[in-house]
Amino acid sequence: MNAYKDETAAGDDGYEEIDGVLLARDADGGWRYRPRAPGLARGHDGRAQFTLIGAGAVTMLALTASWGVPAATLDALRAELAARAQVPAAQLSLSPEPVDVGAVRLMLGDGAGQFEELAKAQSSGAPPYHTAFNVMLSAEQAAKVRKALSGERGWLELRYEASDAPRARRAGSAQTQESVRVDAALRDAQGEAGLSAELGYSERVETDDGPHEPRTRSYSADAADWGLPKQ
């Protein structure tokens, strides 16, 4: 499997990318994942849910976007991570990163790196965050979409925004105690007398990691990477 570190894609969290999936280790030893890029949803027959139909001067574009990881890919990832840890795959915890997916945008470009919003929609709210678009295109817009479908980059793009789910505040306390015992013997004119003393020290420290501001990241994919046959 293809694996490498990609700090640009993962921010400063040190995610590892394996076959297009970003992975991070949990404190309890499990793994969480998120897709590196969106794509198109596919039906039971494996066909992408994408339609472009021309009707006179107007063209209709319909598609369903997806930001998820196929089950077969997850199985392969689980096997890879389990082999690393030398544990049975069934015992390895691999779960989706808890995120809040906001707006999903379909972007139309100029072929030179500049994009404008063609349509915006809300996702299903749960993995794989399916999002349906139905757009009526002008002749100029349709021409750009057809350039994208011919394999040219920079004309059509899907863009997801995902925010880290809020984490609960964690508070804790720690207490330390120390004591020193001193025994001494004193001799005076009347004889010997014992003296004993104990010194104690106690400290309690309260900790609170405070609130965590969710971070929003953008995940995009050019139409050239959607797996559509060139038209």
Side-chain angles (χ1 to χ4, degrees):
M1 303 181 74
N2 182 25
Y4 63 96
K5 296 287 186 179
D6 189 341
E7 296 296 335
T8 301
D12 58 358
D13 296 326
Y15 278 74
E16 178 181 359
E17 181 179 346
I18 302 179
D19 286 358
V21 182
L22 298 173
L23 296 147
R25 196 76 177 266
D26 280 329
D28 60 3
W31 290 84
R32 59 187 189 277
Y33 69 87
R34 64 175 69 185
R36 191 185 192 283
L40 295 177
R42 296 184 178 271
H44 296 296
D45 58 1
R47 293 184 179 180
Q49 297 182 19
F50 181 95
T51 304
L52 185 67
I53 301 175
V58 178
T59 302
M60 184 186 73
L61 171 63
L63 64 89
T64 301
S66 175
W67 189 57
V69 181
T73 302
L74 288 178
D75 290 342
L77 288 172
R78 189 184 302 276
E80 167 74 10
L81 298 172
R84 289 188 192 179
Q86 297 183 341
V87 298
Q91 295 181 10
L92 189 132
S93 174
L94 180 62
S95 57
E97 181 84 38
V99 296
D100 294 325
V101 174
V104 181
R105 292 177 170 84
L106 184 61
M107 310 294 291
L108 194 64
D110 62 359
Q114 298 297 317
F115 286 88
E116 63 180 9
E117 184 180 293
L118 179 62
K120 180 172 69 173
Q122 293 297 319
S123 78
S124 62
Y129 301 102
H130 285 161
T131 310
F133 291 94
N134 290 279
V135 186
M136 301 301 290
L137 303 174
S138 67
E140 180 182 358
Q141 291 171 333
K144 292 183 176 181
V145 170
R146 289 191 174 93
K147 287 184 179 181
L149 298 181
S150 72
E152 295 185 34
R153 292 183 176 274
W155 295 105
L156 190 64
E157 180 181 274
L158 277 171
R159 190 174 297 174
Y160 273 70
E161 291 182 356
S163 299
D164 298 335
R167 289 164 48 191
R169 296 180 66 172
R170 292 177 300 177
S173 63
Q175 183 170 353
T176 59
Q177 288 184 322
E178 294 184 5
S179 62
V180 178
R181 184 177 183 85
V182 178
D183 294 306
L186 302 177
R187 183 182 298 276
D188 56 16
Q190 284 74 39
E192 185 177 279
L195 177 65
S196 176
E198 183 171 329
L199 302 178
Y201 169 78
S202 176
E203 179 181 28
R204 185 178 184 87
V205 179
E206 301 287 343
T207 60
D208 187 342
D209 64 357
H212 292 271
E213 292 297 329
R215 178 181 301 174
T216 300
R217 299 177 178 87
S218 180
Y219 300 84
S220 60
D222 192 279
D225 299 319
W226 295 356
L228 293 171
K230 293 184 180 180
Q231 299 182 15

